[in-house]
Every structure is written in C-alpha cells, then in structure tokens.
Amino acid sequence: MERHLPTETPRVLLAEPSLAYRRVIREALESFRRCQVDDTPTGERAFEMALQRPYHLLILALPLSDISGLLLDRLIALAFPRVHSGSLTAPPVIFIARQEDAPAFQASQRDARHRGLLHYPPKLDALLALTSGLLPEHSPALPPHVP
C-alpha cells in the first residue's frame, strides 16, 4: 500500500510583539527549515490568522500586548478543529518567554501539544532543536558539477 505524503509547504504562525525577534525567527526558520512563516505582533491578529488557514506549528510569545500567549493557545485549541475540517486538534505550540515567565509555562506543560520553551533572546540552536521533529529540514543545494 503506497502512502502519499502532502507536498504542501508547512506553515508556521508566529505571534511575537518585537519586530526584531519576529524577523530573526522568521528568517532562521525559512532558511533552515522547509516552511512559510506568517507573523504578527498581536494575539488578536494571530487568532484571526489561525482561523483563516491551517498551520503546522504555532510559536507564541507568552507576553503579548493584548492577551497572554497561554490564553491565546487555549482559544486556538478550541476553535482550530471546528474551523479546519480534517484537523482533530490544534497544531503543536512552542512558547517564547522571559525567565520570569517560566513558572507559567511549567504549569501548562500538561498539554501534549506544548513542545517547549524558547527563552529571550531567541537562540538559533534552541529554535532549530525545538523544531527538528516538527518541520522538515531544507534540502541543501547541491553545488554545480564541474567535469
């Protein structure tokens, strides 16, 4: 029995208030993983985006300007399967947090969708380690063959 894998590029939803961190995370993921990243500075817009299209991964800052990242995740988890047919659950989530926000994340780790915590400032090696099983790696470009 042959199984066909989807050929669509996985999409990532990134909600982070800092433009600089959004840019670094988006560029790192799009350079080292095969994915498209949609980003926003607010939780309200992230919720709207999650309802508009299916995502393969959520990366949410715990301190957003208008809503807690944990509450945003709960809202998306409730609405996502109702809006996107074929989805039984919301996608996995990685949180971005300051050191002082770590206890709030620890309390939320009961959810199997929560895949980890990325501390501020985001580090490339930590980001790639957290996304290694969730997003495919970019195929390395082969150098031109010189006879």
Side-chain angles (χ1 to χ4, degrees), residues 129-144:
L130 286 169
T131 59
S132 67
L134 303 172
L135 298 170
E137 289 188 25
H138 245 311
S139 302
L142 297 175

Side-chain angles (χ1 to χ4, degrees), residues 50 53-56 77-91:
R53 68 170 29 137
Y55 286 96
H56 293 79
L78 290 171
F80 198 89
R82 296 171 196 251
V83 174
H84 302 290
S85 60
S87 294
L88 299 177
T89 64

